[in-house]
Amino acid sequence: GMSGGVVLDGDLLARMIGNVPMVFAIVGFSDTLAQFLAGARPSWLLTGKQQSGVVPVPPPINFRQSVEVGAVGVAITSFGTVLWLDCLHVLIPAANCGITSGSAMAALALKVSLDSAMWGTVANTISMVARRMVRRQTLLEAAAFWRESFFQVTRSNFAFWPAWAAIVFTVAPPEMQVASYAVGNIFWNVYLALLCRKDGTEGTLLVNAETFPVAEATA
């Protein structure tokens, strides 16, 4: 159990698999939303003038890309985050954290800081590289993008996730914390998806895989 450490057993695997549909839907939706915010539109939302060619047609939403990004999210959140939170709760038990005393607030602050510094860095690195690779970049190109974007993403990570995690660890019961993280990922993944659509040379936002230049990286 949690008191004695993290046990890699059937119960852990069942919890991981049980989160797959929810995480896939949320992360895939967030990528589609990011494409929409960047200007892409599905064919059924085109205006009459756009359909007739009178005005420029926006790029189409790439649903295949959203499926691929959703699969990346499953690997990170459904499996990685479940295991990480189990480890984090063993290291700093939930009973020690809260807002009722100075020591409880200090434990909570340490817990959310570790969460962002350790798992946040690992998860963002995997996500950034994988997102660029599903946009047909090579691993080296994705790694180059990661190096360029790492500090920007890390600053944004610490601006958002510690506050969100503090709410989750204080309010949500353990069985709801992965779902709570997934809700936070709606906002975070839109940010990452938009960032990962930046053209490395021009700095503009691109909306689907086909428009990316040959050289790309991840975020």
Side-chain angles (χ1 to χ4, degrees):
M2 294 293 289
S3 59
V6 176
V7 179
L8 302 177
D9 58 7
D11 176 67
L12 176 63
L13 183 60
R15 286 190 289 124
M16 290 175 169
I17 294 174
N19 287 312
V20 167
M22 171 195 65
V23 171
F24 179 80
I26 288 175
V27 177
F29 166 76
S30 67
D31 183 81
T32 301
L33 178 60
Q35 292 187 52
F36 185 88
L37 293 175
R41 294 293 183 270
S43 58
W44 63 81
L45 285 184
L46 297 181
T47 65
K49 289 184 177 181
Q50 288 172 333
Q51 292 176 345
S52 62
V54 175
V55 296
V57 178
I61 286 182
N62 188 335
F63 290 106
R64 175 184 173 183
Q65 175 182 290
S66 294
V67 168
E68 292 172 335
V69 170
V72 172
V74 164
I76 294 172
T77 303
S78 295
F79 294 93
T81 299
V82 170
L83 180 59
W84 163 251
L85 287 180
D86 278 10
C87 294
L88 187 60
H89 292 325
V90 169
L91 182 64
I92 305 176
N96 295 353
C97 302
I99 56 175
T100 56
S101 69
S103 60
M105 288 189 286
L108 179 63
L110 176 60
K111 192 169 188 173
V112 301
S113 297
L114 283 175
D115 182 48
S116 288
M118 298 180 68
W119 178 242
T121 300
V122 171
N124 288 332
T125 296
I126 296 171
S127 181
M128 288 165 67
V129 172
R131 285 170 184 272
R132 298 295 284 200
M133 291 183 71
V134 301
R135 290 167 180 78
R136 312 302 177 253
Q137 285 194 338
T138 67
L139 179 60
L140 289 178
E141 291 164 347
F145 182 84
W146 176 82
R147 287 193 300 270
E148 294 168 3
S149 306
F150 176 77
F151 289 108
Q152 176 186 349
V153 172
T154 300
R155 285 196 303 268
S156 299
N157 180 77
F158 274 93
F160 174 75
W161 279 112
W164 187 269
I167 295 171
V168 170
F169 293 152
T170 303
V171 176
E175 63 272 14
M176 292 298 297
Q177 288 181 1
V178 172
S180 300
Y181 264 58
V183 173
N185 273 323
I186 294 176
F187 306 102
W188 183 248
N189 281 318
V190 166
Y191 163 75
L192 278 185
L194 289 172
L195 177 72
C196 292
R197 284 182 176 76
K198 284 185 178 179
D199 180 318
T201 56
E202 301 299 328
T204 55
L205 290 173
L206 303 175
V207 292
N208 62 23
E210 286 68 29
T211 61
F212 266 81
V214 174
E216 299 187 321
T218 179

